[in-house]
Amino acid sequence: MTGPVGARTTRASRPNRADRADRAREILRTEGPAAARIVVTVAVAWQVALWLGADQPPIFAAIVPLVALRGDPMTALGTSLQRALGVIAGVLIGLAVLNVLRPSTATLALVVALGLGVGMVLRAGGGLNIQVAASSLLVFANTSPDAYGLHRVWETVVGAVVTVLLAPLLWPPAPHRVLAVLAEDCRMHLTRALTGTTAALAAGAAAARDNLDLVDAHVEAVHANASRAREAERAMKFNPLRRRHRDTVRIQAGRVASADRLTAHLTTLAREAAVLTGREDLAQDLARAGRRLPELAALTSSAIADTLSGRDPRPAVTAARAFFADYARTDSRPVSVALRRPFQRLLDDLDGPDGPGEPGEPGDPRRSG
């Protein structure tokens, strides 16, 4: 029995090892360039400080890239400047206090308090900049504060300058590729949210409530993608090697932003479905709606896919509106009207603010005739 059991165990463990290997490769692919960028920038900052006459290991020049090189070049620029300003302010505070007062516990408290006070003004990422207090404290604790302060300031400035110059040039991010992936991910989440809700109508109240949770998860994923898209678009401003992609990135970011705007209508549809399926008196009306809405969802999903892929969405929107109008003429029950309304909003948004689409519900003030 040992042989077969061992064989089964070995076979069962293979997928786990494969998953771990895939995960390791994915981490290396996504994090490797960032790590390499940090290593190169640290080495260059160190060497530049040595060329400029550092008579001790220029550790402070090397620290800046480790702290600042996180995310896009714009973030590196802001972090480098905040760190340099924080170090300069902290060193000045430490030296000023020590030139007036002797080291003591009270002097220590004063140095830290002044550093934190200045850090409230020189804010880092919207929060308190503790670099000021840390630098002033290190000056206070050093046996040669004047020499230490001088080395700390100029080496930090060297590291900040090297970081700002190299961040956009070393393995720059490719926002156009990132945005293409984000747009496809948004399409998947929007489509699943839309078709899942129409399918839940025929599955009962419990399924509709569960679907509402799923839709909320899809919406959160689209929100996160929209945030990443804004970061990718912002990164282009500090990315001289990707200048030819600026128009492409702007258009792609606009598509992801459009996907984010559609999420409100999907949430409304899921909530309407969760509320209406809980009423037994509406069972027949829901059954009728459940037979027509999946096709409307499929047509609307095609329009969403065309929009996010860069294809012309007007043919798909026109087809969806034609089905919508026919459905509205043949079924004016309140349940159907309520469930169609989010689709009307979706199609209006997919048409754009100047879109030619005709609303399908009777009584709509935009309806012609």
Side-chain angles (χ1 to χ4, degrees), residues 26 47 116 179 292-293 296 347 358:
E26 178 65 18
Q47 187 59 51
L116 292 175
L179 286 166
R292 300 294 301 274
L293 286 175
L296 180 57
L347 294 173
E358 292 277 339

Side-chain angles (χ1 to χ4, degrees), residues 296-318:
L296 180 57
L299 293 169
T300 305
S301 296
S302 296
I304 292 172
D306 289 345
T307 298
L308 293 178
S309 67
R311 297 188 296 269
D312 184 1
R314 287 176 294 182
V317 171
T318 300

